[in-house]
Amino acid sequence: MKEIELKAGKRTRVLRTVSGSLAMRYRFQATPTNKDDTLSGTIEIRGSNWIFPRKPTTQKLAAKNMINKRAWDSFYSIFVIADCDVKITFQRSKLNFKNLLYPALFAILMVMIAMIWTLKTRGL
């Protein structure tokens, strides 16, 4: 498991993927390094900006966090800005099959259209 220590108030990239066009689910835990501190902060999610542009989104930092990366987010980064010193622990990432449904259906449709077009042009 990947662990990262963050300083309070500093914007830190905790994840960066390049050329990963599959939908993924990233999970990580945030724990204050000082037990007396209250966990708070912001997660900034930056998706791809070239094929299907996506504006950056934010969500509140929690003890357990889950980020869903969409298909076609080839250049993808997650930043954390914690209000106190924090330790981030990543769990194993998983393919997000729910987000693969539409690209898979689109690919099947394109293959079927190509097969029908090929059969018609050959007179079969």
Side-chain angles (χ1 to χ4, degrees):
M1 288 192 291
K2 179 180 172 182
E3 289 188 359
I4 303 169
E5 300 239 350
L6 308 180
K7 295 293 181 189
K10 185 178 177 190
R11 181 177 179 262
T12 306
R13 183 185 351 234
V14 296
L15 178 83
R16 177 180 175 190
T17 62
V18 178
S19 299
S21 60
L22 294 175
M24 296 290 288
R25 179 176 294 141
Y26 298 103
R27 295 175 191 222
F28 63 91
Q29 293 181 339
T31 310
T33 54
N34 182 355
K35 294 181 182 184
D36 296 334
D37 289 340
T38 302
L39 180 66
S40 64
T42 305
I43 301 171
E44 180 183 324
I45 304 148
R46 294 190 163 266
S48 184
N49 251 348
W50 64 295
I51 294 179
F52 300 108
R54 181 177 177 189
K55 293 182 180 182
T57 59
T58 59
Q59 66 186 51
K60 290 183 178 183
L61 181 63
K64 293 184 180 185
N65 302 278
M66 183 174 65
I67 311 290
N68 288 314
K69 176 184 152 302
R70 298 183 314 176
W72 301 106
D73 273 340
S74 298
F75 301 99
Y76 193 80
S77 294
I78 298 173
F79 296 88
V80 174
I81 306 144
D83 295 333
C84 62
D85 290 351
V86 172
K87 181 173 82 171
I88 301 289
T89 306
F90 272 88
Q91 297 173 347
R92 189 171 174 217
S93 56
K94 297 179 180 181
L95 278 174
N96 191 347
F97 291 105
K98 180 181 173 187
N99 290 343
L100 289 176
L101 178 63
Y102 292 115
L105 291 175
F106 179 74
I108 291 169
L109 179 65
M110 291 295 109
V111 168
M112 290 175 60
I113 289 171
M115 289 173 60
I116 292 169
W117 181 78
T118 302
L119 290 172
K120 284 190 174 192
T121 57
R122 291 187 179 181
L124 298 176

